[in-house]
């Protein structure tokens, strides 16, 4: 990376970053961030102006954050979800999605360079998130931002789209002509799943609330059903090759399993691994969760001839490239519902958890 001094991005923010490759030392500069010092309500979030930025690793990219989305996972983590993993690491910086400009890269970074506009997402277990005016991600967690998108539009996409991609293309390996059902198609992951399945040439059906039906149709669902309907299974119209359940309650799991063809895939976002870890500790909880998952997989395979999986988002360079291509071709977009400044993160969390935005909640920096 060589010597970097007082790098300045287009918004005028400056940083006193010095990196000396020979001594492997870097004088960290202070940056602004929204910090979670303890679990609780949105009001526990603190704005700090002197957070130290860690040294860049060889595969890392330093991004001047222009926008960061607020995900349901951020809200759950703030409340204490994943306590067994994250409590010893407090304080945390929340945030997974980011869109911004590259201002520095590590020695091993090959595809990205200073000045490029990029978007991407961190892994769910990252402890230094994107609610900061500077974010650090690995190269394979970022991709060049399509010029057709604003930073706010771009920040709304990656975490949700990567989650849906992992389920439909990574696990179920959906193919042209197959039937796909999205249970809960009105949220960001659901909308991303509809668009990914449609782009793959699948026939897509979605359940959602009345408020979201038009949006699901616009995303590409050929058939939408109000989830409150009586005789819901009959209205779905037959069996499916793959089902993504974004709701993950007992009722939707029972519905999904009963609607699958033999050899089909049922995937839920509401796996129990973290909950078991929080209750029993990382080791015992991990073992208990693995046992529960295996039991269900065997049970459903023997009884119905179907595959059962807990879907966990994973950063993936191939997936990000695929997602960016779909965005450039106008085949993938997640609507932005409400925009807040970074310093209004608490209000943004209230908005997200109360579902006051009909679309993605995004934090804007500039």
């Amino acid at each position: 990376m060589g010597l970097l001094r007082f790098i300045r991005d287009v918004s005028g923010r400056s940083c006193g970053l010095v990196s000396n490759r020979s001594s492997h030392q870097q004088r960290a500069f202070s940056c602004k961030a929204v910090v979670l010092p303890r679990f609780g309500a949105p009001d526990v979030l603190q704005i700090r102006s002197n957070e130290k930025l860690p040294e860049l690793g060889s595969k890392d990219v330093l991004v001047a954050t222009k926008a960061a989305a607020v995900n349901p996972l951020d809200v759950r983590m703030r409340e204490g979800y994943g306590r067994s993993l994250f409590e010893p690491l407090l304080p945390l910086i929340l945030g997974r999605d980011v869109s911004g400009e590259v201002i520095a890269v590590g020695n091993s970074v090959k595809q990205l360079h200073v000045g490029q506009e990029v978007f991407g997402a961190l892994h769910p277990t990252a402890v230094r998130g994107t609610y900061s005016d500077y974010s650090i991600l690995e190269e394979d967690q970022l991709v060049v931002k399509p010029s057709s998108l604003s930073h706010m539009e771009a920040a709304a996409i990656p975490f949700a789209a990567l989650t849906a991609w992992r389920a439909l293309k990574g696990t179920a390996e959906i193919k042209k002509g197959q039937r796909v059902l999205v249970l809960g198609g009105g949220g960001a992951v659901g909308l991303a799943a509809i668009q990914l399945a449609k782009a793959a040439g699948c026939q897509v059906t979605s359940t959602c609330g009345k408020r979201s039906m038009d949006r699901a149709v616009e995303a590409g669902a050929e058939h939408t059903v109000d989830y409150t309907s009586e005789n819901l299974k009959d209205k779905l119209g037959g069996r499916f090759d793959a089902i993504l359940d974004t709701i993950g309650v007992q009722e939707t799991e029972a519905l999904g399993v009963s609607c699958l063809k033999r050899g089909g895939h049922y995937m839920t976002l509401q796996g129990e691994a973290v909950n078991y870890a929080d209750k029993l500790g990382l080791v015992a909880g991990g073992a208990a969760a693995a046992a529960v998952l295996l039991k269900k997989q065997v049970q459903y395979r023997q009884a119905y001839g179907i595959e059962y999986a807990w879907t966990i988002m994973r950063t993936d360079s191939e997936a990000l490239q695929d997602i960016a291509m779909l965005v450039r071709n106008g085949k993938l977009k997640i609507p932005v519902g409400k925009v807040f400044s970074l310093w209004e993160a608490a209000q943004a969390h209230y908005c997200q958890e109360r579902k006051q935005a009909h679309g993605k909640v995004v934090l804007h920096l500039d």
Side-chain angles (χ1 to χ4, degrees):
M1 179 170 62
L3 188 65
L4 293 170
R5 291 183 184 273
F6 296 99
I7 301 168
R8 184 177 296 273
D9 69 17
V10 292
S11 69
R13 285 172 289 176
S14 62
C15 52
L17 174 65
V18 177
S19 178
N20 188 315
R21 187 163 45 186
S22 61
S23 66
H24 301 288
Q25 293 177 349
Q26 173 178 299
R27 186 177 76 235
F29 61 86
S30 296
C31 60
K32 297 176 182 177
V34 177
V35 175
L36 178 70
R38 64 186 184 280
F39 301 121
D43 291 341
V44 303
L45 295 172
Q46 296 179 357
I47 300 169
R48 297 182 183 177
S49 59
N50 59 348
E51 283 297 300
K52 299 299 183 182
L53 202 66
E55 182 177 355
L56 285 187
S58 64
K59 297 180 180 180
D60 288 340
V61 178
L62 180 62
V63 177
T65 308
K66 303 296 185 181
V70 176
N71 287 291
L73 177 62
D74 299 333
V75 172
R76 295 180 69 189
M77 285 176 62
R78 191 208 70 232
E79 293 172 334
Y81 179 73
R83 182 183 300 270
S84 58
L85 174 63
F86 295 115
E87 190 163 36
L89 303 174
L90 290 171
L92 306 177
I93 298 175
L94 298 177
R96 296 295 172 267
D97 293 300
V98 69
S99 183
E101 181 181 335
V102 176
I103 63 167
V105 299
N107 292 330
S108 299
V109 173
K110 304 298 183 184
Q111 304 299 321
L112 299 177
H113 58 258
V114 172
Q116 285 182 310
E117 292 189 332
V118 294
F119 74 120
L122 289 162
H123 190 272
T125 59
V127 296
R128 192 191 189 283
T130 59
Y131 292 5
S132 171
D133 53 3
Y134 292 96
S135 302
I136 296 177
L137 296 89
E138 292 189 0
E139 183 179 23
D140 63 2
Q141 296 174 326
L142 292 165
V143 68
V144 175
K145 180 182 76 66
S147 59
S148 59
L149 292 184
S150 69
H151 284 292
M152 287 181 288
E153 291 171 326
I157 293 173
F159 194 85
L162 283 166
T163 302
W165 196 99
R166 171 76 166 157
L168 296 179
K169 304 194 80 171
T171 300
E173 298 181 345
I174 56 173
K175 298 176 178 62
K176 183 178 180 179
Q178 290 186 324
R179 298 192 73 213
V180 173
L181 171 62
V182 180
L183 296 173
V189 176
L191 289 172
I194 292 170
Q195 293 171 87
L196 286 169
K198 183 68 175 178
C202 298
Q203 301 172 29
V204 188
T205 296
S206 173
T207 66
C208 52
K210 293 179 180 178
R211 185 184 178 196
S212 300
M213 282 195 171
D214 289 344
R215 184 165 285 177
V217 171
E218 184 180 350
E222 289 107 336
H223 184 40
T224 58
V225 181
D226 182 352
Y227 74 94
T228 64
S229 300
E230 295 183 1
N231 302 317
L232 181 56
K233 181 180 177 180
D234 293 337
K235 292 183 178 180
L236 292 175
R239 294 185 178 271
F240 298 86
D241 298 283
I243 296 176
L244 176 58
D245 184 356
T246 74
I247 309 301
V249 296
Q250 185 175 352
E251 291 78 10
T252 56
E253 181 172 318
L255 174 66
V257 168
S258 70
C259 288
L260 271 176
K261 299 177 181 179
R262 291 191 69 85
H265 289 262
Y266 169 86
M267 299 152 291
T268 177
L269 302 187
Q270 309 303 325
E272 293 295 315
V274 175
N275 288 333
Y276 274 104
D278 286 346
K279 292 177 183 177
L280 304 175
L282 287 174
V283 177
V292 169
L293 176 59
L294 180 60
K295 180 179 179 180
K296 282 197 170 188
Q297 288 174 330
V298 172
Q299 172 189 343
Y300 286 138
R301 194 175 293 132
Q302 291 179 343
Y304 303 101
I306 65 172
E307 300 300 321
Y308 175 94
W310 293 344
T311 291
I312 301 174
M313 177 272 190
R314 185 179 69 187
T315 54
D316 185 304
S317 181
E318 177 190 353
L320 266 179
Q321 294 290 346
D322 191 18
I323 289 164
M325 181 184 68
L326 292 174
V327 171
R328 283 194 296 270
N329 293 336
K331 296 182 178 181
L332 178 59
K333 185 174 183 179
I334 305 297
V336 175
K338 287 193 176 183
V339 177
F340 297 83
S341 74
L342 183 69
W343 321 127
E344 296 173 316
Q347 295 95 307
H349 270 237
Y350 275 118
C351 179
Q352 173 67 43
E353 68 184 17
R354 295 171 182 174
K355 300 182 179 180
Q356 295 173 338
H358 191 41
K360 197 85 170 188
V361 178
V362 175
L363 301 175
H364 183 229
L365 295 86
D366 216 348

